[in-house]
Amino acid sequence: MNNREKRMNIHKKLEVMKKCYRERDSKNLDLFYDTFFNRDRRPIIIGTDNGPWFHTMGRIQWLIKYDWEHWGNLDIDTWNFDIRESEKYDMVRTRGILDFGSDRVWDVDIVMIFEKEETEYSCRLMQFKIPRNVIRPVVILNSSEEEQGKSEREMHDLMELNGNVASDLMRGHLAEKVASMLREERPYLEMIDVRRELIYIEEIEDGFMFALTGFCVHTEKKALMPFRMVGIGQGYEILDSEFSHPFVSELG
């Protein structure tokens, strides 16, 4: 697949996503799932707010249906997306506008990691995130028992997804690498905690994709906050990554 063919492939997938979120019809759940995911594999969707990730077909379809029933109108940019390529994985970013009416309009970032296969280009991870919370984080664990409970469920769910990783050297390497990156790139964060058991990783030969949840303290707010990072890499190096805080907001 050359670059033009790949961009057209992604554009067509995003057009399906746009159609499904516009129509909000449960009959489109299979169309949405089969456009992006392989039914013989277990993909991951990370939602905007704090809490467990979605990694079975049933749970993913429940999440998408929930969005269709409770979100505002989502308009997705299906042409102006970015692609960061590696030998085995591509990381794709695009944006959308979530319009709830009454002057409540949010930006939405959509991040996807695709696995390159001989006959298929399937999404292994999809993340929806509200980008403004990086500037003004709204999840502060030590002031909300509800958010603490959601975060604990997310950690428990991720550890179950990983199984026993006590001896996994790659996860240990990534934990150190991510913590070092964040200390250098985000000096306003302190006490960065990245644990190997909270890192999900898939490897093909020397290529890999990963997703993790961790914790940090904001220098100014002096509050414990969760964060997430997803990315792709080659060998032992991270080639591209996306950092975010989960989002919480009262819609009223």
Side-chain angles (χ1 to χ4, degrees), residues 27-44:
K27 294 179 181 178
N28 286 333
L29 286 170
D30 285 342
L31 171 63
F32 180 93
Y33 194 93
D34 292 334
T35 296
F36 287 92
F37 308 119
N38 183 335
R39 291 198 181 207
D40 295 327
R41 305 283 298 282
R42 181 178 59 185
I44 294 175

Side-chain angles (χ1 to χ4, degrees), residues 2 6 26 45 55 59 73-74 86 95 97 117 124 152 162 166 174 206 210 212 216 221 223 228 234 241 251:
N2 60 37
K6 180 182 294 183
S26 296
I45 287 189
H55 52 80
R59 292 189 70 193
N73 294 318
L74 178 62
S86 69
R95 304 201 77 175
I97 296 293
E117 302 173 273
R124 300 298 303 130
E152 289 174 355
N162 279 331
L174 275 179
D206 65 341
F210 71 93
L212 63 87
C216 60
K221 295 181 178 294
R228 290 157 173 173
Q234 198 80 24
S241 61
L251 299 181

Side-chain angles (χ1 to χ4, degrees), residues 154-190:
E154 179 173 335
M155 289 189 293
H156 180 267
D157 193 56
L158 186 51
M159 284 188 284
E160 281 197 340
L161 185 63
N162 279 331
N164 181 12
V165 298
S167 61
D168 190 327
L169 296 178
M170 188 59 182
R171 281 187 177 87
H173 169 76
L174 275 179
E176 295 178 2
K177 186 77 172 178
V178 167
S180 176
M181 284 176 56
L182 293 181
R183 282 192 291 268
E184 181 177 347
E185 297 174 3
R186 300 177 183 271
Y188 58 90
L189 299 181
E190 301 175 346

Side-chain angles (χ1 to χ4, degrees), residues 16-29 31-32 61 64-75 97-101 251:
V16 171
M17 181 187 290
K18 185 176 181 177
K19 161 188 165 67
C20 291
Y21 270 83
R22 182 177 64 246
E23 296 179 358
R24 308 188 194 196
D25 190 337
S26 296
K27 294 179 181 178
N28 286 333
L29 286 170
L31 171 63
F32 180 93
Q61 290 192 334
I64 299 304
K65 184 179 179 183
Y66 181 91
D67 286 352
W68 296 349
E69 291 175 348
H70 298 279
W71 270 14
N73 294 318
L74 178 62
D75 192 15
I97 296 293
L98 186 55
D99 188 350
F100 289 97
L251 299 181

